[in-house]
Protein backbone atom coordinates (compact mmCIF):
# COMPACT_ATOMS: atom_id res chain seq x y z
CA UNK A 1 0.00 0.00 0.00
CA UNK A 2 2.84 2.39 0.85
CA UNK A 3 4.56 1.76 -2.48
CA UNK A 4 1.24 2.09 -4.32
CA UNK A 5 0.45 5.53 -2.90
CA UNK A 6 4.01 6.83 -3.12
CA UNK A 7 4.15 5.98 -6.82
CA UNK A 8 0.68 7.44 -7.37
CA UNK A 9 1.70 10.71 -5.69
CA UNK A 10 4.82 10.91 -7.85
CA UNK A 11 2.85 10.42 -11.06
CA UNK A 12 0.24 13.00 -10.05
CA UNK A 13 3.04 15.52 -9.49
CA UNK A 14 5.09 14.61 -12.55
CA UNK A 15 2.62 14.89 -15.42
CA UNK A 16 1.39 18.48 -14.97
CA UNK A 17 4.90 19.54 -13.96
CA UNK A 18 6.31 18.14 -17.20
CA UNK A 19 3.73 19.83 -19.41
CA UNK A 20 4.12 23.24 -17.74
CA UNK A 21 7.90 23.38 -17.62
CA UNK A 22 8.31 22.34 -21.27
CA UNK A 23 6.74 25.66 -22.32
CA UNK A 24 7.92 27.76 -19.37
CA UNK A 25 11.58 27.00 -20.06
CA UNK A 26 11.31 29.06 -23.27
CA UNK A 27 10.06 32.20 -21.51
CA UNK A 28 12.70 34.44 -19.84
CA UNK A 29 10.45 35.35 -16.91
CA UNK A 30 9.83 31.70 -16.01
CA UNK A 31 13.15 30.11 -17.02
CA UNK A 32 14.60 29.94 -13.53
CA UNK A 33 11.48 28.30 -12.07
CA UNK A 34 11.31 25.89 -15.00
CA UNK A 35 15.00 25.03 -14.55
CA UNK A 36 14.38 24.16 -10.90
CA UNK A 37 11.34 22.09 -11.82
CA UNK A 38 13.33 20.21 -14.45
CA UNK A 39 15.80 19.16 -11.75
CA UNK A 40 12.94 18.15 -9.42
CA UNK A 41 11.25 16.33 -12.31
CA UNK A 42 14.39 14.29 -12.98
CA UNK A 43 14.77 13.42 -9.29
CA UNK A 44 11.16 12.27 -9.01
CA UNK A 45 11.62 10.24 -12.19
CA UNK A 46 14.55 8.36 -10.69
CA UNK A 47 12.51 7.90 -7.50
CA UNK A 48 9.65 6.39 -9.54
CA UNK A 49 12.12 3.98 -11.14
CA UNK A 50 13.44 2.92 -7.73
CA UNK A 51 9.97 2.59 -6.19
CA UNK A 52 8.74 0.56 -9.16
CA UNK A 53 11.71 -1.78 -8.83
CA UNK A 54 10.87 -2.19 -5.14
CA UNK A 55 7.21 -2.78 -6.02
CA UNK A 56 8.17 -5.47 -8.54
CA UNK A 57 10.47 -7.12 -6.00
CA UNK A 58 7.63 -7.12 -3.49
CA UNK A 59 5.20 -8.61 -6.00
CA UNK A 60 7.65 -11.37 -6.96
CA UNK A 61 7.95 -12.42 -3.32
CA UNK A 62 4.34 -11.84 -2.18
CA UNK A 63 1.05 -13.09 -3.60
CA UNK A 64 -1.12 -10.39 -5.16
CA UNK A 65 -4.32 -9.42 -3.33
CA UNK A 66 -7.18 -11.68 -4.45
CA UNK A 67 -9.71 -10.53 -7.02
CA UNK A 68 -13.42 -10.90 -6.24
CA UNK A 69 -14.68 -14.39 -7.16
CA UNK A 70 -17.55 -12.98 -9.23
CA UNK A 71 -15.35 -11.20 -11.79
CA UNK A 72 -15.67 -12.33 -15.39
CA UNK A 73 -12.71 -13.75 -17.26
CA UNK A 74 -12.30 -10.68 -19.49
CA UNK A 75 -12.40 -8.43 -16.41
CA UNK A 76 -9.65 -10.46 -14.81
CA UNK A 77 -7.55 -10.27 -17.96
CA UNK A 78 -8.13 -6.51 -18.16
CA UNK A 79 -7.15 -6.05 -14.51
CA UNK A 80 -3.93 -8.02 -14.95
CA UNK A 81 -3.23 -6.25 -18.25
CA UNK A 82 -3.62 -2.78 -16.74
CA UNK A 83 -1.30 -3.66 -13.88
CA UNK A 84 1.31 -5.11 -16.24
CA UNK A 85 1.04 -2.05 -18.49
CA UNK A 86 1.47 0.19 -15.45
CA UNK A 87 4.67 -1.62 -14.48
CA UNK A 88 5.96 -1.33 -18.05
CA UNK A 89 5.15 2.39 -18.26
CA UNK A 90 6.58 3.14 -14.81
CA UNK A 91 9.88 1.62 -15.93
CA UNK A 92 9.87 3.00 -19.47
CA UNK A 93 8.91 6.55 -18.49
CA UNK A 94 11.91 7.33 -16.23
CA UNK A 95 14.27 5.30 -18.45
CA UNK A 96 13.27 7.29 -21.54
CA UNK A 97 13.80 10.51 -19.57
CA UNK A 98 17.19 9.29 -18.36
CA UNK A 99 18.25 8.44 -21.91
CA UNK A 100 16.98 11.84 -23.08
CA UNK A 101 19.02 13.89 -20.60
CA UNK A 102 22.04 11.67 -21.28
CA UNK A 103 22.06 12.85 -24.89
CA UNK A 104 23.07 16.37 -23.82
CA UNK A 105 20.67 17.75 -26.41
CA UNK A 106 17.49 19.82 -26.00
CA UNK A 107 14.79 18.64 -28.40
CA UNK A 108 12.71 21.65 -27.31
CA UNK A 109 15.17 24.22 -28.67
CA UNK A 110 17.08 21.83 -31.00
CA UNK A 111 20.51 22.64 -29.62
CA UNK A 112 23.06 21.06 -27.27
CA UNK A 113 22.16 21.32 -23.59
CA UNK A 114 24.26 19.18 -21.29
CA UNK A 115 22.98 19.43 -17.72
CA UNK A 116 23.93 17.08 -14.90
CA UNK A 117 21.30 15.16 -12.95
CA UNK A 118 21.35 15.37 -9.17
CA UNK A 119 19.05 13.18 -7.06
CA UNK A 120 17.36 15.79 -4.84
CA UNK A 121 20.77 17.42 -4.40
CA UNK A 122 22.11 14.38 -2.55
CA UNK A 123 24.28 12.72 -5.21
CA UNK A 124 24.88 12.75 -8.95
CA UNK A 125 23.06 10.41 -11.33
CA UNK A 126 25.54 9.66 -14.14
CA UNK A 127 24.62 10.03 -17.77
CA UNK A 128 24.18 6.73 -19.60
CA UNK A 129 27.53 6.36 -21.33
CA UNK A 130 26.27 4.43 -24.36
CA UNK A 131 24.26 7.56 -25.21
CA UNK A 132 26.47 10.34 -23.85
CA UNK A 133 29.57 9.07 -25.69
CA UNK A 134 27.87 8.88 -29.10
CA UNK A 135 28.49 11.37 -31.92
CA UNK A 136 26.52 14.61 -31.83
CA UNK A 137 24.19 13.77 -34.71
CA UNK A 138 23.32 10.42 -33.14
CA UNK A 139 22.68 12.06 -29.77
CA UNK A 140 20.39 14.59 -31.44
CA UNK A 141 18.40 11.82 -33.14
CA UNK A 142 18.07 9.92 -29.87
CA UNK A 143 16.98 13.08 -28.04
CA UNK A 144 14.10 13.75 -30.42
CA UNK A 145 13.04 10.12 -30.37
CA UNK A 146 13.19 9.86 -26.59
CA UNK A 147 11.25 13.07 -26.05
CA UNK A 148 8.46 11.76 -28.29
CA UNK A 149 8.42 8.44 -26.46
CA UNK A 150 8.48 10.17 -23.09
CA UNK A 151 5.48 12.32 -24.01
CA UNK A 152 3.50 9.36 -25.35
CA UNK A 153 4.25 7.36 -22.22
CA UNK A 154 3.01 10.28 -20.13
CA UNK A 155 -0.28 10.28 -22.06
CA UNK A 156 -0.45 6.52 -21.68
CA UNK A 157 0.09 6.82 -17.94
CA UNK A 158 -2.71 9.39 -17.71
CA UNK A 159 -5.04 7.07 -19.62
CA UNK A 160 -4.19 4.09 -17.43
CA UNK A 161 -4.50 6.24 -14.31
CA UNK A 162 -8.03 7.32 -15.29
CA UNK A 163 -8.96 3.73 -16.16
CA UNK A 164 -7.48 2.45 -12.89
CA UNK A 165 -9.28 5.02 -10.74
CA UNK A 166 -12.56 4.52 -12.59
CA UNK A 167 -12.38 0.75 -12.14
CA UNK A 168 -11.53 1.10 -8.45
CA UNK A 169 -14.51 3.43 -7.86
CA UNK A 170 -16.80 1.06 -9.78
CA UNK A 171 -15.72 -1.87 -7.60
CA UNK A 172 -16.14 0.17 -4.43
CA UNK A 173 -19.47 1.89 -5.02
CA UNK A 174 -21.27 -0.26 -7.61
CA UNK A 175 -19.98 -3.79 -7.15
CA UNK A 176 -19.16 -3.34 -3.43
CA UNK A 177 -16.77 -6.27 -3.65
CA UNK A 178 -13.95 -4.96 -1.43
CA UNK A 179 -11.32 -4.51 -4.16
CA UNK A 180 -10.28 -1.09 -2.82
CA UNK A 181 -9.52 -2.72 0.52
CA UNK A 182 -6.26 -3.89 -1.05
CA UNK A 183 -5.27 -0.22 -1.56
CA UNK A 184 -6.90 1.62 1.37
CA UNK A 185 -6.07 0.22 4.82
CA UNK A 186 -9.34 1.22 6.55
CA UNK A 187 -11.55 -0.44 3.93
CA UNK A 188 -12.56 -4.08 4.02
CA UNK A 189 -10.57 -6.19 1.56
CA UNK A 190 -12.04 -8.78 -0.80
CA UNK A 191 -12.52 -12.31 0.51
CA UNK A 192 -9.83 -14.73 -0.62
CA UNK A 193 -10.68 -16.38 -3.92
CA UNK A 194 -10.91 -20.12 -3.40
CA UNK A 195 -9.79 -21.15 -6.87
CA UNK A 196 -7.49 -18.45 -8.12
CA UNK A 197 -5.93 -19.39 -11.42
CA UNK A 198 -2.48 -18.51 -12.58
CA UNK A 199 -1.17 -18.10 -16.08
CA UNK A 200 -2.55 -14.65 -16.97
CA UNK A 201 0.70 -12.91 -16.13
CA UNK A 202 2.51 -14.01 -19.29
CA UNK A 203 -0.12 -12.54 -21.58
CA UNK A 204 -0.24 -9.31 -19.57
CA UNK A 205 3.54 -8.91 -19.66
CA UNK A 206 3.53 -9.59 -23.41
CA UNK A 207 0.85 -6.92 -23.86
CA UNK A 208 3.00 -4.47 -21.89
CA UNK A 209 6.06 -5.22 -24.05
CA UNK A 210 4.04 -4.73 -27.25
CA UNK A 211 2.77 -1.40 -25.87
CA UNK A 212 6.29 -0.14 -25.13
CA UNK A 213 7.60 -1.18 -28.56
CA UNK A 214 4.67 0.57 -30.24
CA UNK A 215 5.24 3.75 -28.23
CA UNK A 216 8.94 3.63 -29.12
CA UNK A 217 8.38 3.59 -32.87
CA UNK A 218 5.45 6.01 -32.91
CA UNK A 219 7.26 8.53 -30.74
CA UNK A 220 10.51 8.20 -32.67
CA UNK A 221 8.96 8.68 -36.10
CA UNK A 222 6.58 11.49 -35.14
CA UNK A 223 9.17 13.70 -33.42
CA UNK A 224 12.36 13.26 -35.43
CA UNK A 225 12.93 16.39 -37.59
CA UNK A 226 14.06 16.23 -41.17
CA UNK A 227 17.18 18.38 -41.03
CA UNK A 228 20.37 17.40 -39.22
CA UNK A 229 22.88 19.90 -37.80
CA UNK A 230 26.37 20.37 -39.07
CA UNK A 231 28.52 17.92 -37.18
CA UNK A 232 31.92 19.19 -38.33
CA UNK A 233 32.64 20.78 -34.97
CA UNK A 234 31.40 17.82 -32.93
CA UNK A 235 34.16 15.93 -31.18
CA UNK A 236 33.84 12.18 -31.22
CA UNK A 237 34.22 10.02 -28.14
CA UNK A 238 37.40 8.56 -29.62
CA UNK A 239 38.95 12.02 -30.04
CA UNK A 240 38.01 12.94 -26.49
CA UNK A 241 39.60 9.75 -25.20
CA UNK A 242 42.88 10.67 -26.87
CA UNK A 243 43.11 14.03 -25.05
CA UNK A 244 45.97 14.30 -22.54
CA UNK A 245 45.14 13.60 -18.92
CA UNK A 246 46.58 16.95 -17.88
CA UNK A 247 47.82 19.47 -20.43
CA UNK A 248 48.66 22.12 -17.80
CA UNK A 249 52.26 22.69 -16.75
CA UNK A 250 52.44 22.31 -12.96
CA UNK A 251 56.16 23.05 -12.61
CA UNK A 252 57.20 25.94 -10.34
CA UNK A 253 60.00 28.34 -11.22
CA UNK A 254 60.46 30.77 -8.31
CA UNK A 255 60.80 34.53 -8.49
CA UNK A 256 63.59 36.46 -6.77
CA UNK A 257 61.42 38.67 -4.53
CA UNK A 258 60.20 37.87 -1.01
CA UNK A 259 58.45 34.49 -0.84
CA UNK A 260 55.12 34.20 0.97
CA UNK A 261 53.33 31.22 2.52
CA UNK A 262 49.58 31.34 1.92
CA UNK A 263 47.18 30.53 4.76
CA UNK A 264 44.69 28.40 2.86
CA UNK A 265 42.13 28.41 5.66
CA UNK A 266 41.96 32.21 5.56
CA UNK A 267 42.14 32.53 1.75
CA UNK A 268 39.68 31.92 -1.08
CA UNK A 269 39.21 31.94 -4.84
CA UNK A 270 35.61 32.76 -5.68
CA UNK A 271 33.57 33.44 -8.81
CA UNK A 272 30.14 34.84 -9.66
CA UNK A 273 27.78 35.35 -12.57
CA UNK A 274 24.14 34.87 -13.56
CA UNK A 275 22.22 31.75 -14.54
CA UNK A 276 18.75 32.04 -16.08
CA UNK A 277 18.66 35.63 -14.88
CA UNK A 278 19.55 34.80 -11.27
CA UNK A 279 22.87 35.58 -9.62
CA UNK A 280 25.08 32.70 -8.50
CA UNK A 281 28.44 32.44 -6.81
CA UNK A 282 30.91 29.70 -6.06
CA UNK A 283 34.46 28.85 -5.11
CA UNK A 284 37.21 26.28 -5.57
CA UNK A 285 37.98 24.15 -2.54
CA UNK A 286 41.30 22.72 -3.74
CA UNK A 287 44.07 25.04 -4.96
CA UNK A 288 47.62 26.04 -4.14
CA UNK A 289 49.41 29.35 -4.54
CA UNK A 290 53.11 30.21 -4.83
CA UNK A 291 53.89 33.89 -4.42
CA UNK A 292 57.07 35.96 -4.51
CA UNK A 293 56.25 39.64 -4.07
CA UNK A 294 57.91 42.82 -2.87
CA UNK A 295 56.61 46.34 -3.65
CA UNK A 296 60.26 47.38 -3.84
CA UNK A 297 61.19 44.56 -6.20
CA UNK A 298 58.35 44.27 -8.70
CA UNK A 299 60.72 42.98 -11.39
CA UNK A 300 61.53 39.94 -9.23
CA UNK A 301 57.88 39.34 -8.21
CA UNK A 302 55.93 36.36 -9.44
CA UNK A 303 52.75 34.41 -8.68
CA UNK A 304 51.65 30.92 -9.70
CA UNK A 305 48.26 29.51 -8.70
CA UNK A 306 47.17 25.93 -9.51
CA UNK A 307 43.44 25.23 -9.21
CA UNK A 308 41.89 21.74 -9.21
CA UNK A 309 38.77 22.46 -11.24
CA UNK A 310 36.97 19.36 -10.00
CA UNK A 311 36.73 21.03 -6.58
CA UNK A 312 34.28 23.63 -7.90
CA UNK A 313 31.39 24.38 -5.53
CA UNK A 314 28.30 26.58 -5.92
CA UNK A 315 25.96 25.12 -3.31
CA UNK A 316 23.75 23.78 -6.13
CA UNK A 317 24.36 20.09 -6.84
CA UNK A 318 23.06 20.31 -10.41
CA UNK A 319 25.25 23.32 -11.22
CA UNK A 320 28.28 21.62 -9.72
CA UNK A 321 27.64 18.43 -11.66
CA UNK A 322 27.20 20.40 -14.89
CA UNK A 323 30.41 22.36 -14.32
CA UNK A 324 32.29 19.06 -14.10
CA UNK A 325 31.00 17.90 -17.49
CA UNK A 326 33.15 17.91 -20.62
CA UNK A 327 31.98 21.19 -22.11
CA UNK A 328 32.67 23.12 -18.92
CA UNK A 329 35.71 22.41 -16.73
CA UNK A 330 36.13 18.75 -17.80
CA UNK A 331 38.31 17.87 -14.77
CA UNK A 332 38.65 14.25 -15.90
CA UNK A 333 40.66 15.42 -18.90
CA UNK A 334 42.00 18.77 -17.65
CA UNK A 335 42.13 18.56 -13.84
CA UNK A 336 44.25 21.69 -13.27
CA UNK A 337 43.95 25.35 -14.26
CA UNK A 338 47.08 27.51 -14.00
CA UNK A 339 47.32 31.25 -13.38
CA UNK A 340 50.84 32.68 -13.74
CA UNK A 341 51.83 36.34 -13.44
CA UNK A 342 55.39 37.64 -13.84
CA UNK A 343 54.73 41.31 -14.67
CA UNK A 344 53.69 43.59 -11.79
CA UNK A 345 52.92 47.31 -11.82
CA UNK A 346 52.31 49.83 -9.05
CA UNK A 347 49.05 51.76 -9.38
CA UNK A 348 49.57 54.06 -6.40
CA UNK A 349 49.19 53.54 -2.66
CA UNK A 350 48.50 49.89 -1.86
CA UNK A 351 47.14 49.19 -5.36
CA UNK A 352 48.99 46.99 -7.87
CA UNK A 353 48.19 44.88 -10.88
CA UNK A 354 49.54 41.52 -12.02
CA UNK A 355 49.72 40.68 -15.70
CA UNK A 356 50.02 37.10 -16.86
CA UNK A 357 48.15 34.17 -18.35
CA UNK A 358 45.40 31.75 -17.41
CA UNK A 359 45.66 28.23 -18.84
CA UNK A 360 42.46 26.19 -18.76
CA UNK A 361 41.23 23.26 -20.86
CA UNK A 362 43.97 23.69 -23.43
CA UNK A 363 43.27 27.42 -23.82
CA UNK A 364 45.73 30.09 -22.70
CA UNK A 365 44.42 33.65 -22.38
CA UNK A 366 46.11 36.85 -21.17
CA UNK A 367 44.72 38.26 -17.93
CA UNK A 368 45.27 41.32 -15.73
CA UNK A 369 44.49 41.10 -12.04
CA UNK A 370 44.26 44.40 -10.09
CA UNK A 371 44.80 43.87 -6.36
CA UNK A 372 45.50 45.56 -3.08
CA UNK A 373 48.48 44.60 -0.89
CA UNK A 374 48.20 45.37 2.83
CA UNK A 375 51.29 44.34 4.88
CA UNK A 376 51.17 43.94 8.65
CA UNK A 377 54.38 42.84 10.38
CA UNK A 378 55.46 39.57 8.82
CA UNK A 379 52.02 39.04 7.30
CA UNK A 380 49.96 40.58 4.54
CA UNK A 381 46.49 40.41 3.02
CA UNK A 382 45.67 40.62 -0.66
CA UNK A 383 42.30 41.37 -2.26
CA UNK A 384 41.84 41.28 -6.02
CA UNK A 385 39.17 40.89 -8.69
CA UNK A 386 38.83 40.58 -12.44
CA UNK A 387 36.36 39.45 -15.08
CA UNK A 388 36.89 36.49 -17.38
CA UNK A 389 35.17 35.88 -20.72
CA UNK A 390 34.07 32.25 -20.61
CA UNK A 391 33.79 32.12 -24.40
CA UNK A 392 37.55 32.70 -24.68
CA UNK A 393 38.10 29.77 -22.30
CA UNK A 394 35.72 27.39 -24.13
CA UNK A 395 33.39 27.05 -21.15
CA UNK A 396 29.85 25.97 -21.99
CA UNK A 397 30.24 26.83 -25.64
CA UNK A 398 28.31 23.84 -26.93
CA UNK A 399 25.14 24.33 -24.88
CA UNK A 400 25.20 28.09 -24.36
CA UNK A 401 27.39 29.91 -26.89
CA UNK A 402 25.13 32.97 -26.92
CA UNK A 403 25.09 33.37 -23.10
CA UNK A 404 21.32 32.81 -23.07
CA UNK A 405 21.60 30.86 -19.82
CA UNK A 406 24.93 31.64 -18.19
CA UNK A 407 26.46 35.13 -18.32
CA UNK A 408 29.37 35.52 -20.72
CA UNK A 409 31.46 37.45 -18.21
CA UNK A 410 32.32 35.69 -14.96
CA UNK A 411 33.66 37.68 -12.03
CA UNK A 412 36.62 36.20 -10.15
CA UNK A 413 37.78 37.46 -6.75
CA UNK A 414 40.72 36.41 -4.63
CA UNK A 415 41.20 36.90 -0.92
CA UNK A 416 44.62 35.87 0.39
CA UNK A 417 46.20 35.90 3.82
CA UNK A 418 49.95 35.13 3.81
CA UNK A 419 53.08 35.16 5.94
CA UNK A 420 56.67 35.82 4.92
CA UNK A 421 58.79 32.72 4.56
Amino acid sequence: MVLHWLIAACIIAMVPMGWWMSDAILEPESQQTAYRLFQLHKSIGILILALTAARLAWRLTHRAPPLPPGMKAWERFAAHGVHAAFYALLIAMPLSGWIYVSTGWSATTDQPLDVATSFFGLFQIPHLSFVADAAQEARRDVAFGMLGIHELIAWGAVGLFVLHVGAALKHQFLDRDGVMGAMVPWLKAADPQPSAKKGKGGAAVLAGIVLIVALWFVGWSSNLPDAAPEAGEAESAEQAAEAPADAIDTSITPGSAQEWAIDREASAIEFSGTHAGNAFDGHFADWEGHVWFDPEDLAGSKAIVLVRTGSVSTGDATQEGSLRLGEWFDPNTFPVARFEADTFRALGGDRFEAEGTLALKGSVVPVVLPFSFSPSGDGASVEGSMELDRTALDLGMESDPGADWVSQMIGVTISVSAQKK
Side-chain angles (χ1 to χ4, degrees):
M1 288 183 187
V2 171
L3 290 169
H4 173 273
W5 288 110
L6 282 176
I7 294 173
C10 288
I11 295 174
I12 292 171
M14 285 284 274
V15 174
M17 184 191 304
W19 285 331
W20 179 85
M21 69 189 189
S22 296
D23 294 326
I25 200 71
L26 302 176
E27 303 298 330
E29 63 273 10
S30 56
Q31 270 189 347
Q32 184 61 217
T33 302
Y35 164 77
R36 297 295 178 189
L37 280 182
F38 261 109
Q39 312 322 312
L40 180 61
H41 188 83
K42 292 190 290 183
S43 293
I44 295 176
I46 295 297
L47 180 60
I48 288 176
L49 186 60
L51 291 174
T52 302
R55 178 78 184 266
L56 279 170
W58 180 272
R59 180 55 58 236
L60 291 173
T61 55
H62 297 76
R63 180 179 291 275
L67 295 174
M71 287 184 67
K72 299 176 182 179
W74 70 267
E75 290 179 314
R76 297 181 184 281
F77 181 83
H80 289 303
V82 168
H83 278 88
F86 252 131
Y87 281 125
L89 290 178
L90 291 175
I91 292 173
M93 185 159 55
L95 278 180
S96 63
W98 193 356
I99 294 173
Y100 174 67
V101 299
S102 296
T103 65
W105 192 277
S106 169
T108 303
T109 59
D110 194 13
Q111 65 184 42
L113 184 62
D114 200 3
V115 179
T117 298
S118 169
F119 185 71
F120 296 107
L122 300 176
F123 54 86
Q124 295 295 318
I125 302 294
H127 287 345
L128 298 170
S129 59
F130 69 90
V131 178
D133 294 342
Q136 186 187 75
E137 186 175 352
R139 289 188 288 111
R140 178 178 182 267
D141 290 348
V142 172
F144 276 99
M146 280 299 122
L147 183 61
I149 292 167
H150 198 66
E151 291 173 348
L152 283 171
I153 291 174
W155 280 111
V158 170
L160 286 177
F161 183 82
V162 171
L163 185 63
H164 182 65
V165 171
L169 294 176
K170 170 186 175 294
H171 281 285
Q172 178 64 21
F173 296 106
L174 296 181
D175 300 339
R176 300 181 182 277
D177 52 16
V179 166
M180 282 192 67
M183 295 178 283
V184 182
W186 57 84
L187 296 179
K188 181 182 178 182
D191 294 329
Q193 186 176 345
S195 58
K197 295 182 179 180
K198 298 181 181 181
K200 305 294 185 182
V205 170
L206 179 61
I209 294 173
V210 171
L211 174 63
I212 294 305
V213 172
L215 286 172
W216 180 285
F217 283 106
V218 172
W220 193 286
S221 60
S222 64
N223 281 273
L224 187 62
D226 296 330
E230 294 294 331
E233 296 180 0
E235 183 180 53
S236 68
E238 291 80 6
Q239 289 173 321
E242 293 172 0
D246 182 6
I248 302 298
D249 178 16
T250 57
S251 63
I252 305 297
T253 303
S256 59
Q258 171 66 51
E259 185 176 4
W260 297 81
I262 295 176
D263 181 358
R264 278 286 314 282
E265 295 299 320
S267 305
I269 299 176
E270 300 174 319
F271 57 89
S272 61
T274 60
H275 174 240
N278 281 23
F280 71 87
D281 55 64
H283 69 278
F284 293 96
D286 187 5
W287 58 274
E288 61 183 78
H290 307 269
V291 178
W292 298 264
F293 181 76
D294 186 342
E296 304 300 325
D297 183 14
L298 295 180
S301 297
K302 187 174 186 176
I304 298 174
V305 180
L306 303 175
V307 179
R308 274 75 184 181
T309 55
S311 69
V312 63
S313 175
T314 66
D316 183 307
T318 303
Q319 287 179 350
E320 292 170 3
S322 298
L323 287 172
R324 296 186 183 106
L325 295 176
E327 69 168 303
W328 289 91
F329 288 126
D330 192 10
N332 289 332
T333 307
F334 303 101
V336 178
R338 179 187 179 104
F339 167 77
E340 181 170 352
D342 52 16
T343 301
F344 289 78
R345 300 184 186 90
L347 302 180
D350 65 349
R351 301 291 300 168
F352 300 85
E353 70 177 15
E355 181 179 332
T357 58
L358 175 62
L360 174 66
K361 276 183 66 180
S363 301
V364 180
V365 298
V367 293
V368 177
L369 174 65
F371 65 94
S372 63
F373 176 76
S374 303
S376 177
D378 289 335
S381 61
V382 174
E383 303 285 340
S385 63
M386 61 181 172
E387 281 197 325
L388 296 176
D389 184 345
R390 68 175 178 84
T391 64
L393 293 165
D394 189 27
L395 295 176
M397 294 308 294
E398 185 177 352
S399 296
D400 191 28
D404 299 317
W405 282 91
V406 181
S407 53
Q408 179 175 333
M409 304 306 296
I410 303 296
V412 178
T413 61
I414 65 165
S415 178
V416 176
S417 177
Q419 295 286 325
K420 289 181 179 180
K421 278 194 174 182

